[in-house]
Amino acid sequence: MATEKPKKAAVVGSGAMGHSIAELLAMNGHEVTMIDINDELLQKAKEKIKWSLDKFVEKKRIRKEDADAAMARIHTTTSYQEAAKDIDLAIEAVPENMDLKRKVFSALDAAAPLQAILASNTSTLSITEMGKATKRPNKVAGMHFFNPPLMMQLVEVIKGENTNQETINTLFELSKKLGKTPIIVRKDVRGFIVNRILGIVFNEAFWAFQRGEAAKEGIDSSVKYTGGFPMGWFELADFVGLDIAYEVGRILYEAYGERFKPCEEIIGPLIKEHKFGQKTGVGFYDWTKGRPRIPFNMLDEYDVERSWAVAANEAAWLIHDDAANPEDIDAGMKLGTFWPSGPCEYADRMGLDVVVNKLKELYTKYSMEMYKPCPLLEEYVSKGFTGKKVGKGLYK
Ligand SMILES: NC(=O)c1ccc[n+]([C@@H]2O[C@H](COP(=O)([O-])OP(=O)(O)OC[C@H]3O[C@@H](n4cnc5c(N)ncnc54)[C@H](O)[C@@H]3O)[C@@H](O)[C@H]2O)c1
């Protein structure tokens, strides 16, 4: 469906994500006003954008005059009224806290024209709740960029309970015009697609470590060198930030119950000691001397099929709940986390019967909900839709 391209935008919060989203919009011809709580933060954000644009010029990725024009399209203010009075779109990127986000949405709603779309870059929180803080819940949606937004290809476009299709179409088209690959999350489910699948894979690895089945270096070695993933799960958790991984894990547990039972014993003590991974210098690994070295000689310590099995199972739950389709799930994992394959295509290639058997074997051994096959997988297998070998599995 053809949709009007939003021209004037406000970006709320000029931190790690906000300043980069503002830069992306300005580079693509949008007038952008960044809002933050004081001028000093806004000034710092502008300096970061200037530095980044200069780098693009230096590397001959863009022309100097285009960089100057993009910079000239970026404005700053601490006033919602001033920033939002004539916008078509606002993208909120303030810290991950529902009370704060609701306040921001209410302020944007009061200041922005009625037809403007209000989007949130939240990683996990409810879009529906944010919409309820406004008088236009049909125009409130998720627009979840990955870090850094300028570089990462993926955007999750999320439909809240009250979001209308036109809003989703506009954000979908806008993402494409910004050079991104948007995927649609049709329901306001916690963790959306990428963080939800990553969450279950982390948990499987943490529990395997907790049970003493493999060392964390062994798990990461197997995941990287046997599985072909860009990072091991412990390395990646450290990279993302254990405080963030912990909080996302808590939200997933609250939303989905025992299937996402967190491995408190493994991650809890690190959180208490403020060992959050790369950003604090220590987490599962020591990062003080750079990226941890994952040993080559432990690549058989952990069965990577276990990661794939729980990932495919969670993907099946997303399909079962009509929250996403296999194409978007696979694109999400490949573009958002650089997986060598999507979990749905992997499951179809391996055979859904093989995946279900693996899950059942693990369920029998550990009696954990995480391994209980999703009813959709069981149904497909019982109907003979076992994947590529028969021409129908998660993909048709
Ligand atoms: N950092 C990531 O890797 C990442 C990735 C995807 C999504 N997200 C999500 O993006 C959002 C922002 O994350 P971040 O890492 O950029 O946070 P950040 O802490 O770097 O930046 C947040 C900014 O919001 C500002 N702010 C706070 N209250 C405000 C208010 N009332 N009005 C205007 N500005 C206000 C802060 O001063 C700060 O500059 C969060 O919802 C987070 O979950 C983060």
Side-chain angles (χ1 to χ4, degrees), residues 12-18 35-37 41 80 92-97 100-101 104 120-125 144-147 240 244:
V12 191
S14 66
M17 298 300 284
I35 316 175
D36 211 306
I37 48 177
L41 288 166
Y80 281 71
E92 166 279 311
V94 302
E96 193 78 333
N97 172 304
L100 176 61
K101 301 233 186 221
V104 166
S120 173
N121 183 49
T122 180
S123 309
T124 37
L125 300 175
H144 182 214
F145 289 87
F146 286 70
N147 194 10
V240 167
I244 292 174

Side-chain angles (χ1 to χ4, degrees), residues 13 95 103 110 114-115 122 196 216 218 230 259 298 329 388:
K103 279 187 196 130
L114 251 183
Q115 69 277 11
T122 180
R196 177 165 160 180
K216 61 181 187 296
R259 192 162 87 244
M298 297 171 85
I329 295 170
K388 211 168 169 189

